Structures are given as structure tokens and as C-alpha cells.
Amino acid sequence: MLILLLFLPNILAYQIENENIVCFIHNNNLLENITLEFKNFENNKSTFYITLPQNVKILNISSNYPIDGYSAVFQDGTSNIAVAFEKPLPINKTVSLTLTCLVKDCIWKGYDYYQFITNFPIIGKNVKIKLYLPPGAVIVYPNLITPEGYEITGDGKHQIIVWNLKPKSEFIMTTSLRFAYAPYTPITNKEKKDNNIIIFLILLSGSIAFVAYERFKRIKINKEKNQIYDNYLEIKGQLAEKNKQISDLEDKCRFLEEEVGKLKNIIEEKDKVICEMSKKVEEYLKEIKLLGKEKEDLINNITELKAKIEKLKDENEKLKNIIDKYKDSEKGILLNFLTDDEKKIIKLIKEHKYITQKDIVSLTRMSKSKVSRIVSELEERGIVKKEKVGRINMLTLTDEADNLI
């Protein structure tokens, strides 16, 4: 008979792929071996929790992932187990965990048979349960085995009951059967009926008590869990805020250290500049002293030069007078050497500054050949020169003659 008792809390951080349960009935006790293969989907998760709806003794736990330790609380027919790993579980990788224990209070002796009843936690996607009877023991009344969907097999020494399950959700599976050591005497139909009633009442009362306890415990655990989670979120938020403040302060410290380093470099560069400027100031002071001395020498030289200039001015004035007298005399000499016709032509050229031979012929009424001869002589003597103005040859006085006449 299958009685659905209670769904275990779903652990959202894990996904249990395979669950293998192997049990041996021995000396009225149950030797149980539960192997779980699960994957973790939460960061920094290093603790695994499981509740066994059994009265467990002598617990041993092993895993393919290093275990730091485990704890178990046994109370009112249940065993709450917490397994702590040495480091956070890997993300999306299969971890194997094996629990080996001794289960008490699951076998009762009847008149000529043994009654076996216990609860198994069904929490995997694929579940296989193998129950080994003691050597020489056989199933009594297979129709009384619960739950259904089992297979009876053997290994030559033990009779084995096997369940292969693919549950859609987690639940508690209550398993019940009778076995006896061969040979045995079958009981009467009345005894069967009485025993079935007793078993049903036992299962019903145990189930009701277990359901009530589990519900009460779940409410209490969920309340405490929610409170702890709220406290965790609050502390996590405060910690994040403090970490942000620390990060901001560290950034400010790094910025200030960089600024201090820059200022040190600037101060060192300024010190170097000041040192160089001090050296240059000393050099400039020395140069100023030298320039002051040179200035005094220049002033003395200027005074001497001024005296010499005054002297030269006097001498220059005397020379000017001599030159003027020379020019006057030279002018008189030049005019004394000119004929009247030459003087007349020179006068016309002086008045017009530029004039053609044709105009001279017209103004002086001299012959063309005579004017040409006189102009040629004056050119040879450096008194007159020809300059081309456009396409016309013009006559003008030389600079020297212009100054003298």
C-alpha cells in the first residue's frame, strides 16, 4: 500500500539527477546506503542539506568532492543532515554524495513472520531502490508489498525487491512488506485480515503524526529561514555599501597619491629651475658689474669722441670754406674756358634740365652741324651727357657740371 506522506522542501540550488538506495535487512535492523548524484547552480554554495524520514544511527558520509565535515540532528523519527564541503561546489558539474547508516525500529516480529516498514526520501529525477532480505528469508504475501511497481529478483543468496522510479516531484515513499524464514506456516484468512487492519492503523497513525510534525517543522523552518534570509539581505546590502565606500576611498587615496607624486615631481623640477635661475642671476650680476665698468669706459670714450667731433666740426667747417672757395674758383675757371656759344647751349640745358639738339638749334638759331659739334665737344669734356627718355635722346648736364655751374 502506497501512502503519500509529505513532500520534502525543494532545494533550489541543487538538481539531483540520480538517487540510488541499497538496503540490507540484518538482525532486525536496516543497513542503508544512499548515493546522490547532483549538480549545483548557485555561486559560493558549500553546504548540502537532506532530511531522512528515519531513525538513523551510526552515520557515515563520503563524496568525490572534499568534505570539511557534517552534522546530524536526530529527532522524532527524522534525521536532519548538513554536509559542509571544503570549498564552494563547482557550477553545473556532477557531485556524488554517499550516506551510509543504520536504521532502527523498522522491523517487528509477528506470529510467524517479520513485518518491515520504513520511509525513503524520493528527491532525485531517477531513483532506484534495492531491498535485500536476509539470507533464507522469503516474501510472505507479495500482494501486501507497498508501493506497487516493484520487481522481485535474487542473487542466489538473497531475495531482492527493486523499485525503478521517475518521480515528477519529491515525496516520501513508505515501503512495507512481510517476510519469513522458510519453512513457514501460512496464517489463516482471519489472521491476515486482522494483521492488515493492524498494519493499516499503524501506518495511518504514523503517517498522520509524521505529516503533522513535518508541517509544523516546515512552517517553523521556513519562518526562521525567511528571517535569516532577510537579515542576510540586509547585511549583504550594508556590506555592499561599505565595500562601495571603501572602494571610493581607495580610489580617492590612489588619486591623492598620484597627485602628491605629480606635485613632488613639479616641486623637484621647480627646485631645479630655481637653482639654475640662481646661478644665472649670479652670472647676470657679474655681467652687470662688467657692463657697469664698460659703461663708465664708454661714457669716457663718448666724452672724448664728443670733443673730437667738435674738433672735427671745426676742421670740417674750415674745409667747407676751402671747398666753396675752390668751387668758386673752379667754376670761374670752367666758365673762362667756355666760348659764348658753349655758354649759351649750357645755359639752355641748365634752364630746361632736359632738351633735344633740335630744340637747341631752334632756340639758338645756330646751324644743326654747329650745335652737333659743340654738343660733342661738351660731351668729351664731361660737361654734357645724353640720356634716353622714351625713344628720344635728351641732353642734360652731368652731376659735376651741374654743381659747378
Side-chain angles (χ1 to χ4, degrees):
M1 175 183 249
L2 177 62
I3 301 177
L4 297 177
L5 298 178
L6 182 66
F7 291 99
L8 291 175
N10 187 21
I11 304 172
L12 297 178
Y14 307 112
Q15 179 175 305
I16 299 173
E17 299 288 340
N18 298 307
E19 179 183 3
N20 292 310
I21 302 176
V22 179
C23 302
F24 293 88
I25 298 175
H26 179 71
N27 293 335
N28 294 333
N29 293 312
L30 184 67
L31 299 176
E32 187 174 50
N33 186 287
I34 302 174
T35 300
L36 303 174
E37 293 179 353
F38 63 91
K39 290 182 179 180
N40 173 49
F41 297 102
E42 184 176 319
N43 290 325
N44 299 320
K45 192 74 174 177
S46 59
T47 307
F48 183 88
Y49 300 94
I50 183 172
T51 298
L52 299 181
Q54 299 168 328
N55 187 12
V56 170
K57 304 293 182 182
I58 313 175
L59 177 65
N60 183 51
I61 299 176
S62 61
S63 174
N64 63 342
Y65 204 69
I67 293 177
D68 186 37
Y70 59 87
S71 63
V73 177
F74 310 112
Q75 185 178 10
D76 298 331
T78 62
S79 303
N80 298 306
I81 300 168
V83 182
F85 294 91
E86 291 183 358
K87 53 186 178 180
L89 293 167
I91 301 296
N92 201 22
K93 289 188 178 180
T94 301
V95 177
S96 177
L97 181 69
T98 301
L99 296 87
T100 303
C101 58
L102 180 67
V103 181
K104 305 282 284 185
D105 302 328
C106 60
I107 299 172
W108 294 271
K109 189 177 184 309
Y111 176 72
D112 55 359
Y113 63 89
Y114 291 87
Q115 179 67 49
F116 169 80
I117 183 169
T118 191
N119 296 314
F120 293 114
I122 306 303
I123 55 178
K125 292 173 65 177
N126 300 293
V127 181
K128 186 171 186 177
I129 302 173
K130 295 175 73 174
L131 178 61
Y132 287 76
L133 298 183
V138 292
I139 296 294
V140 179
Y141 304 117
N143 60 320
L144 296 180
I145 297 176
T146 58
E148 298 178 347
Y150 58 86
E151 177 186 358
I152 299 177
T153 183
D155 60 2
K157 186 177 180 181
H158 303 85
Q159 201 171 38
I160 307 170
I161 301 90
V162 181
W163 287 269
N164 287 300
L165 307 174
K166 289 186 178 292
K168 295 181 179 180
S169 61
E170 301 174 359
F171 67 97
I172 301 296
M173 187 179 95
T174 301
T175 303
S176 172
L177 59 85
R178 292 181 184 182
F179 66 90
Y181 293 93
Y184 69 96
T185 303
I187 60 175
T188 64
N189 290 331
K190 185 177 182 306
E191 289 175 338
K192 286 182 186 179
K193 187 176 180 180
D194 293 342
N195 290 335
N196 287 338
I197 292 172
I198 292 170
I199 291 171
F200 176 77
L201 292 174
I202 292 171
L203 290 174
L204 182 61
S205 60
S207 298
I208 292 171
F210 184 76
V211 168
Y213 170 76
E214 284 296 322
R215 285 180 178 173
F216 172 77
K217 185 175 69 173
R218 183 187 296 175
I219 292 170
K220 184 178 179 182
I221 290 173
N222 287 338
K223 186 176 180 181
E224 293 176 354
K225 185 178 178 181
N226 291 334
Q227 183 64 37
I228 292 170
Y229 186 71
D230 292 339
N231 294 337
Y232 163 75
L233 291 178
E234 183 180 355
I235 294 170
K236 187 177 180 181
Q238 294 175 356
L239 183 61
E241 183 66 25
K242 295 297 181 183
N243 288 335
K244 186 176 182 302
Q245 293 176 1
I246 291 170
S247 179
D248 293 341
L249 290 174
E250 288 176 347
D251 292 339
K252 289 181 181 179
C253 288
R254 282 193 294 270
F255 174 76
L256 291 175
E257 287 175 356
E258 291 175 358
E259 291 297 316
V260 169
K262 291 178 182 178
L263 290 173
K264 284 183 178 178
N265 294 332
I266 292 171
I267 291 170
E268 289 177 358
E269 291 177 359
K270 296 293 183 184
D271 289 339
K272 290 179 182 178
V273 172
I274 291 170
C275 184
E276 292 177 359
M277 294 297 293
S278 298
K279 291 180 181 178
K280 288 184 179 180
V281 168
E282 292 177 0
E283 293 175 358
Y284 290 154
L285 289 174
K286 291 179 182 179
E287 290 180 3
I288 289 169
K289 288 181 180 178
L290 292 173
L291 289 173
K293 188 176 179 182
E294 290 178 359
K295 181 181 176 182
E296 292 178 0
D297 294 340
L298 288 172
I299 291 171
N300 294 331
N301 291 334
I302 289 169
T303 304
E304 293 176 359
L305 288 172
K306 282 182 178 179
K308 288 180 180 180
I309 289 169
E310 292 297 326
K311 187 177 179 181
L312 289 172
K313 280 182 180 180
D314 294 339
E315 293 178 354
N316 188 40
E317 191 66 30
K318 290 177 180 179
L319 288 172
K320 270 183 83 175
N321 294 331
I322 293 170
I323 289 168
D324 291 339
K325 289 179 181 179
Y326 172 76
K327 283 183 177 180
D328 291 339
S329 62
E330 190 177 24
K331 181 179 179 182
I333 293 168
L334 179 61
L335 292 173
N336 290 333
F337 281 94
L338 295 174
T339 63
D340 291 337
D341 291 335
E342 288 175 342
K343 289 179 182 178
K344 191 181 289 185
I345 291 172
I346 290 171
K347 185 179 179 182
L348 284 173
I349 296 171
K350 178 79 172 176
E351 289 175 355
H352 291 82
K353 195 169 183 180
Y354 289 97
I355 192 170
T356 63
Q357 282 187 198
K358 184 178 179 182
D359 292 335
I360 293 172
V361 170
S362 175
L363 292 171
T364 59
R365 297 183 180 277
M366 296 180 187
S367 65
K368 186 177 180 181
S369 58
K370 185 177 181 180
V371 171
S372 179
R373 178 178 55 77
I374 292 171
V375 169
S376 296
E377 289 178 357
L378 290 173
E379 274 187 287
E380 290 177 358
R381 288 157 65 183
I383 297 172
V384 176
K385 63 180 180 178
K386 290 180 180 179
E387 288 186 7
K388 201 160 189 176
V389 179
R391 293 183 178 181
I392 302 173
N393 286 325
M394 304 291 285
L395 296 174
T396 186
L397 295 176
T398 63
D399 293 338
E400 187 178 356
D402 190 41
N403 290 330
L404 291 173
I405 298 173

